[in-house]
Amino acid sequence: MIKKIKSAVLASIEEVFKISADEHANIDIVLNTDKLPLFGDLSCNAALILASTLKRSPLEIAEQLCENLKSGELCKNGTVSTISVARPGFVNITLANETWNDISKKIFSDGPSFFSLDEDEKKLSYLVEFVSPNPTGPLHLAHGRNAIIGDVLARVMEFLGHKVSREMYINDAGKQIDLLGESLLARYKQQLKEDVQVPEKGYHGEYLSDVALEIVKERGSDAVNEPMEYFKRYAVDKMLILIKKDLLLYGVEFDTFFSEKTLHDNGAIDKAVEDLKTNQLVYEKDDALWFKSTEFGDDKDRVVKRSDGAWTYLGADIAYHEDKFKRGYDKLIDVLGQDHHGYLNRIKATMEAMGFGKDKLDIIVYQLVFMRIGNDYVKMSKRSGNFETLSDVINTVGKDVARFFYLNRKADAHLDFDLDVALKNTEENPVYYIQYAYVRINSLMNKAAEISGMSEWVSKLRNGEIDTDGLSLDENDIALVRKISQLSGILRTIANGYQTHMIAYYTLELAKNFSSYYGKVKILDTGRIDATKNRLFVVSLIRTTLGTCLDLLGLSKPEKM
């Protein structure tokens, strides 16, 4: 329906202003989320887009377009009830009740696919890289936020119709892995009753004592003569098993795992940097190699290889992103913590320098996570062992609550994970509230099936098989359908701007709208079967939409609570 209205608006623009279709590609028509009736159901930005081309005020253009649309087919055939103008130049369109009836029936017949991309909308291939930990210990609080952003984004993209690959980059090379190996060796010797200490800057968590004990059980004291590489690889392998187990518990799976070590072993880093050197974008100074990042807008040049011969993170990432680009995806997306904020332009600059389009690489940066219990905050440190692991969070509050709480805030804002609220089985807990709304709808359906003469109809309703021709919605019903239909635009906004928290916000709002509806109207009215059918029809649309949102969030859909 929105597509039909947009076509009519574009045709009106061509008629009034003689502007061809190619010249108004940025014109958009979106569902309003404002509750005030004066903003209508749909808002069009045409006048704001055309103002510079026509060299006229947006308000004047909007008023002229509005008058033309009022005399057009949209109003004549009853699709639209009113068209108005709002400053600074929006054209607001209110749909007729009968149009909302038609939309509700389309949502019912299409099911979840109503919200996905249309056949003529462009579908792309994405590589989403997320979590990407140093495999030096269990996943901690911040990894939970990284994982949920990447996972839900991938779920939304796939739902819309895009092709998505999920990848985890394993930082299994460099100084931190050397320290990990040294720390494990120390723990191993401690298990053999030797008086040794974990290196001062090593990893002091007790989890390495458990790994050391496994070596003792497997090898006894024989491993004491193994080279350091043995302890490094043993520790990394055990940490990866633990990390993958935690992610599976969290409901997160990957298509591929990419080892940083392979880039060192196969010479990919040397080759990538040598290519930059050939293009005179890398130079030597103070026995180190430097990338000329200032030529691409950075505030200073950056080291890619230190004077001791060790590659920096940037050196490895140049080769890694080159590999990703060469795999042929339309778009690369990295999910990184706030400590990488100054790193974004550098990696984009290296890709531009190597001939890859920097606009094909998008980086989502999320802020810190704080675990709060009452007024106290839990401190995190892998090396000291004083941290709250992701698995501890999941085991304490459950997968569903953990996933939602990690997502229920914009990525670029700090996140307080309130454990007290997360543990409540009351409406104060948003996950409980949403899932209870879903369960209540199931309960309504079950009770409706017990009404005389309704059992077969309810069964068909659940299976999407009822005849919708005789159904008619009132104002309360239409308000809910309007909210349901907003999901289509929200998913497209997430796909374009990666603001995954929007699906969490929307799901809670929809549950609240249903609760308000439940308290306002009598859904099951044995004396008015036709009205009961109308309302059960709307309730079934909410159930489908809530179910879709819960799937996108990776949350369960309980039948009872």
Side-chain angles (χ1 to χ4, degrees):
M1 184 59 66
I2 294 177
K3 185 187 296 185
K4 175 182 175 182
I5 292 170
K6 183 171 183 176
S7 295
V9 171
L10 295 181
S12 183
I13 289 170
E14 292 188 35
E15 178 183 343
V16 175
F17 304 112
K18 311 304 178 188
I19 301 289
S20 68
D22 292 338
E23 295 180 85
H24 48 55
N26 292 327
I27 290 174
D28 204 2
I29 295 176
V30 297
L31 277 163
N32 279 324
T33 56
D34 301 280
K35 295 180 181 179
L36 294 176
L38 68 93
F39 292 117
D41 294 317
L42 302 169
S43 184
C44 177
N45 64 353
L48 301 172
I49 298 296
L50 296 175
S52 60
T53 301
L54 297 173
K55 296 185 174 16
R56 293 163 58 187
S57 76
L59 199 60
E60 181 185 347
I61 295 169
E63 288 171 347
Q64 191 172 352
L65 180 58
C66 178
E67 289 306 310
N68 184 268
L69 288 169
K70 284 180 178 179
S71 62
E73 281 300 307
L74 291 178
C75 291
K76 288 180 180 178
N77 64 20
T79 300
V80 168
S81 61
T82 61
I83 303 176
S84 61
V85 173
R87 293 183 181 277
F90 287 103
V91 175
N92 294 323
I93 300 168
T94 301
L95 304 180
N97 285 357
E98 190 55 40
T99 301
W100 280 116
N101 267 278
D102 292 341
I103 291 173
S104 71
K105 293 169 185 177
K106 179 68 172 169
I107 295 171
F108 180 76
S109 62
D110 287 359
S113 65
F114 175 87
F115 306 107
S116 59
L117 296 179
D118 296 328
E119 289 184 4
D120 59 348
E121 291 185 89
K122 190 174 182 180
K123 299 174 181 66
L124 303 173
S125 62
Y126 290 85
L127 177 63
V128 184
E129 181 222 324
F130 57 110
V131 183
S132 300
N134 292 333
T136 53
L139 296 178
H140 56 66
L141 284 180
H143 288 126
R145 193 172 198 189
N146 187 313
I148 195 64
I149 290 171
D151 184 61
V152 170
L153 179 60
R155 287 171 185 257
V156 169
M157 295 290 199
E158 282 183 331
F159 175 84
L160 288 172
H162 299 296
K163 184 178 179 181
V164 181
S165 291
R166 300 162 172 83
E167 182 159 290
M168 187 168 83
Y169 180 66
I170 303 165
N171 296 276
D172 55 352
K175 185 63 177 175
Q176 82 278 1
I177 300 300
D178 293 338
L179 284 170
L180 179 67
E182 292 168 17
S183 302
L184 177 57
L185 175 58
R187 288 301 192 189
Y188 172 64
K189 289 182 176 180
Q190 288 174 358
Q191 292 289 346
L192 298 177
K193 309 304 181 183
E194 292 187 29
D195 185 17
V196 296
Q197 299 298 317
V198 174
E200 182 181 351
K201 294 184 179 180
Y203 295 88
H204 294 254
E206 284 302 315
Y207 59 91
L208 281 183
S209 295
D210 296 334
V211 176
L213 185 58
E214 290 187 45
I215 300 177
V216 172
K217 289 178 179 179
E218 292 174 11
R219 301 281 304 275
S221 61
D222 292 347
V224 75
N225 296 317
E226 290 284 358
M228 184 56 66
E229 188 65 24
Y230 168 84
F231 291 94
K232 289 197 292 186
R233 289 306 113 203
Y234 196 99
V236 167
D237 290 345
K238 291 298 181 182
M239 291 304 102
L240 283 177
I241 290 171
L242 183 61
I243 287 168
K244 291 176 183 179
K245 181 182 177 182
D246 288 349
L247 288 171
L248 196 59
L249 185 67
Y250 197 39
V252 176
E253 298 184 59
F254 288 87
D255 300 300
T256 54
F257 297 88
F258 194 104
S259 163
E260 178 191 347
K261 185 174 182 294
T262 62
L263 298 171
H264 295 263
D265 292 345
N266 64 19
I269 306 176
D270 295 89
K271 183 181 182 304
V273 174
E274 191 61 37
D275 289 342
L276 289 172
K277 188 185 293 187
T278 300
N279 293 325
Q280 298 183 332
L281 293 170
V282 169
Y283 63 91
E284 292 186 33
K285 187 180 80 170
D286 300 330
D287 297 323
L289 290 180
W290 298 70
F291 169 60
K292 294 182 179 179
S293 53
T294 50
E295 293 191 11
F296 301 90
D298 202 355
D299 59 340
K300 62 180 180 179
D301 292 344
R302 304 291 172 174
V303 176
V304 292
K305 192 174 189 178
R306 299 187 184 94
S307 57
D308 63 2
W311 293 108
T312 63
Y313 280 116
L314 181 60
D317 272 350
I318 291 171
Y320 175 48
H321 282 81
E322 179 185 26
D323 182 276
K324 290 199 288 187
F325 267 106
K326 286 183 175 179
R327 290 186 237 165
Y329 294 96
D330 295 315
K331 201 86 170 177
L332 306 180
I333 301 173
D334 295 352
V335 184
L336 301 174
Q338 54 84 33
D339 54 326
H340 290 79
H341 195 276
Y343 194 67
L344 312 188
N345 290 334
R346 289 171 226 166
I347 194 62
K348 284 199 169 195
T350 61
M351 292 302 99
E352 185 179 3
M354 298 184 78
F356 302 108
K358 65 176 181 179
D359 292 336
K360 291 179 68 175
L361 170 63
D362 288 333
I363 301 176
I364 302 169
V365 177
Y366 62 92
Q367 289 295 322
L368 294 172
V369 179
F370 301 98
M371 172 68 73
R372 181 160 56 86
I373 303 174
N375 294 320
D376 298 324
Y377 288 91
V378 176
K379 294 182 179 180
M380 292 184 296
S381 172
K382 267 191 184 181
R383 293 187 174 171
S384 69
N386 181 20
F387 64 96
E388 194 76 22
T389 66
L390 176 60
S391 62
D392 286 338
V393 177
I394 298 168
N395 290 328
T396 301
V397 304
K399 182 200 77 171
D400 288 353
V401 172
R403 287 179 66 96
F404 191 91
F405 272 54
Y406 271 118
L407 197 71
N408 196 27
R409 189 73 190 242
K410 293 177 65 174
D412 58 3
H414 291 293
L415 173 67
D416 265 14
F417 195 114
D418 190 331
L419 190 60
D420 290 335
V421 175
L423 287 170
K424 290 182 178 179
N425 288 324
T426 67
E427 291 185 354
E428 190 178 348
N429 182 331
V431 178
Y432 179 90
Y433 191 96
I434 292 164
Q435 291 180 326
Y436 186 72
Y438 187 82
V439 168
R440 176 173 273 174
I441 292 172
N442 289 328
S443 177
L444 282 169
M445 294 287 191
N446 293 335
K447 290 178 181 177
E450 296 172 1
I451 298 174
S452 178
M454 287 284 290
S455 178
E456 183 180 354
W457 188 87
V458 171
S459 178
K460 288 183 177 180
L461 176 66
R462 281 175 160 157
N463 295 326
E465 298 170 351
I466 62 166
D467 182 358
T468 59
D469 287 346
L471 297 173
S472 180
L473 309 186
D474 64 19
E475 291 296 331
N476 291 317
D477 303 329
I478 288 171
L480 270 180
V481 174
R482 183 176 185 269
K483 185 65 181 179
I484 288 168
S485 64
Q486 289 175 1
L487 178 60
S488 180
I490 285 170
L491 296 181
R492 284 159 175 76
T493 300
I494 292 172
N496 292 329
Y498 313 142
Q499 297 290 331
T500 48
H501 68 282
M502 293 177 68
I503 186 66
Y505 287 11
Y506 171 83
T507 306
L508 182 57
E509 287 173 3
L510 182 61
K512 288 179 177 178
N513 283 22
F514 165 69
S515 295
S516 176
Y517 178 80
Y518 181 86
K520 188 182 298 184
V521 305
K522 189 174 183 179
I523 296 173
L524 302 182
D525 189 342
T526 55
R528 301 174 64 218
I529 295 300
D530 285 345
T532 295
K533 287 182 176 180
N534 286 336
R535 283 166 183 163
L536 281 174
F537 168 71
V538 174
V539 165
S540 76
L541 301 183
I542 302 168
R543 183 183 186 277
T544 296
T545 310
L546 272 179
T548 298
C549 292
L550 289 169
D551 287 341
L552 292 172
L553 289 166
L555 275 56
S556 59
K557 296 181 288 189
E559 291 299 315
K560 58 183 180 179
M561 291 174 68

